[in-house]
Each structure stands twice: as C-alpha cells, then as structure tokens.
Amino acid sequence: MVFAEIPYKARIELKDKQITVRGSKLLLDKVAALKAQYGNDPHKWPQQRVGSGEDILINEFIMKANFEFKFCYNHEELCHCRNVPTEKVFTSIKNECFKVEDVSRTTLAGTGCGSCKKDITDLIEQFKKS
C-alpha cells in the first residue's frame, strides 16, 4: 500500500491497484484528471507544478509510488529546541505554509534558537520546486 496524506484533511491511497482519494474537490479533480490522462498507475503520472498543498500531496504520492520520496533533512526531529518532528513541518507545508514564518507559527519550529530555520527553508524549497 502506498499513501500520502494531510492528517484530518486529505488522503490518496493505492491499494490492490485501486486508487482512493478523500479530501477537497480540487484534489479529487486533479487526481481524476491525472487518471483520465495517464491511467490508474501513479508510476506513469508526471509530478505536478506546485501551486497548492494538493499538488504537494500528489507529488508525494507519485514519489512514494516510485520509491523516490525522501526529505532533504534526514533526522526525525527538525527543531530540537521545541521538539518538532520533521513530519510535522512537512504537514504544515502541505497545509500551504510556504514561508518559514508560517511554519513557525503553526508548529513552533524555529522559534527557539532559530538554527533550524535554514532546514525549514530547505524543506519548503524541496517540495515547492516540483
């Protein structure tokens, strides 16, 4: 099973060659368009130009299906001062926090010593560039 999700908001899942989607109408429409154009195999889907959290979620799903997904920051915890996991920062990015200040406001990452702000920036850039 391959999946990508924004907790309590959206999820794309591939299980037994079936893709299920739950979330916003925008996400449902984007996945339906990909399926119509490229078929039900996410290995054949191109990564999306990022303009929204839905695009990041779709790209995460495609990368996971192709075993290409990994963070540019390779530690479980991104902000040691505030004990903020890397996954929590990534979830805030999928929720369209595309600036360090927005990530900090929603996760507290970067609000202690500030040394992780570059790592937050790198993570934002990694997923916004797709």
Side-chain angles (χ1 to χ4, degrees), residues 5-86:
E5 72 177 349
I6 303 171
Y8 309 109
K9 185 175 178 183
R11 183 179 176 100
I12 307 170
E13 181 177 293
L14 174 64
K15 185 176 179 183
D16 300 326
K17 298 184 181 182
Q18 288 283 76
I19 296 174
T20 56
V21 183
R22 114 178 116 79
S24 69
K25 180 166 179 3
L26 178 62
L27 179 64
L28 296 170
D29 290 346
K30 286 181 180 227
V31 171
L34 285 166
K35 288 167 77 174
Q37 187 168 2
Y38 300 102
N40 283 331
D41 184 355
H43 299 94
K44 297 178 182 176
W45 295 0
Q47 287 197 24
Q48 303 300 291
R49 182 170 181 200
V50 174
S52 68
E54 286 85 358
D55 297 324
I56 294 174
L57 186 65
I58 290 168
N59 288 345
E60 176 188 2
F61 178 69
I62 293 167
M63 287 187 281
K64 283 182 174 178
N66 290 308
F67 304 102
E68 298 171 348
F69 182 81
K70 67 178 185 173
F71 293 125
C72 60
Y73 184 80
N74 296 318
H75 300 281
E76 190 173 316
E77 188 175 79
L78 190 135
C79 178
H80 305 298
C81 295
R82 302 288 186 223
N83 301 325
V84 180
T86 302

Side-chain angles (χ1 to χ4, degrees), residues 71-122:
F71 293 125
C72 60
Y73 184 80
N74 296 318
H75 300 281
E76 190 173 316
E77 188 175 79
L78 190 135
C79 178
H80 305 298
C81 295
R82 302 288 186 223
N83 301 325
V84 180
T86 302
E87 185 63 43
K88 185 172 185 177
V89 172
F90 182 48
T91 297
S92 73
I93 295 167
K94 289 189 282 189
N95 276 307
E96 301 184 16
C97 291
F98 296 148
K99 295 180 183 174
V100 174
E101 299 80 23
D102 296 335
V103 171
S104 295
R105 182 176 34 77
T106 60
T107 67
L108 297 181
T111 61
C113 75
S115 67
C116 64
K117 287 185 178 185
K118 181 183 179 336
D119 298 321
I120 296 168
T121 299
D122 292 346

